[in-house]
Amino acid sequence: MAWLGWQLLRAPAAAHRDLPMPGWHTALPRWSAGLRMGLASGLLNPKNALFYASLFALLGNAATGVRWFYGAWMFTAVLAWDLAVAVAIGHPRVVARFTRQVPRIERATGVVLLLALGMVLIR
């Protein structure tokens, strides 16, 4: 953890010039390939299964139709949120702004990692 934090603090800002800039989205794979990757990521994420299992545990005595309704509603809510985040993060202006901020983000992350190590060592 300390090594990673130190490396993030030492990373030269010039190394970020190769990051994608506006227009990067033209080089992305087709929409269907992205959908398959996202679906695989969601299905293989154990947090999703735990989330839905805890939801249905709360509905223990509810009728089957109610369970299906809540399951479909939660699936739709999570899907809408994920799509909104993907569209927002993929906007060219957001990507350009994020790209300009990468050196600051890396340095802040380095400080956090070094402080976390310090807190562990103090205990």
Side-chain angles (χ1 to χ4, degrees):
M1 184 166 42
W3 180 84
L4 184 58
W6 181 249
Q7 293 301 316
L8 286 168
L9 286 174
R10 291 184 48 223
H16 304 294
R17 291 185 184 147
D18 296 334
L19 289 174
M21 295 303 277
W24 61 272
H25 56 283
T26 57
L28 289 178
R30 290 190 351 235
W31 185 85
S32 60
L35 179 65
R36 283 193 307 273
M37 285 185 350
L39 184 60
S41 173
L43 290 174
L44 295 173
N45 186 349
K47 290 183 293 185
N48 292 339
L50 291 172
F51 173 74
Y52 286 110
S54 66
L55 171 70
F56 287 117
L58 291 173
L59 301 172
N61 294 333
T64 304
V66 172
R67 290 182 191 180
W68 278 102
F69 171 75
Y70 279 129
W73 181 79
M74 289 307 298
F75 173 82
T76 304
V78 170
L79 178 63
W81 171 256
D82 290 347
L83 289 173
V85 169
V87 167
I89 289 174
H91 192 277
R93 279 194 275 170
V94 174
V95 172
R97 188 172 184 184
F98 176 75
T99 301
R100 287 191 304 271
Q101 299 300 323
V102 166
R104 288 187 184 117
I105 294 169
E106 282 188 348
R107 284 177 178 72
T109 304
V111 168
V112 168
L113 287 174
L114 286 174
L115 288 175
L117 175 68
M119 297 302 278
V120 168
L121 291 177
I122 288 174
R123 282 211 239 165

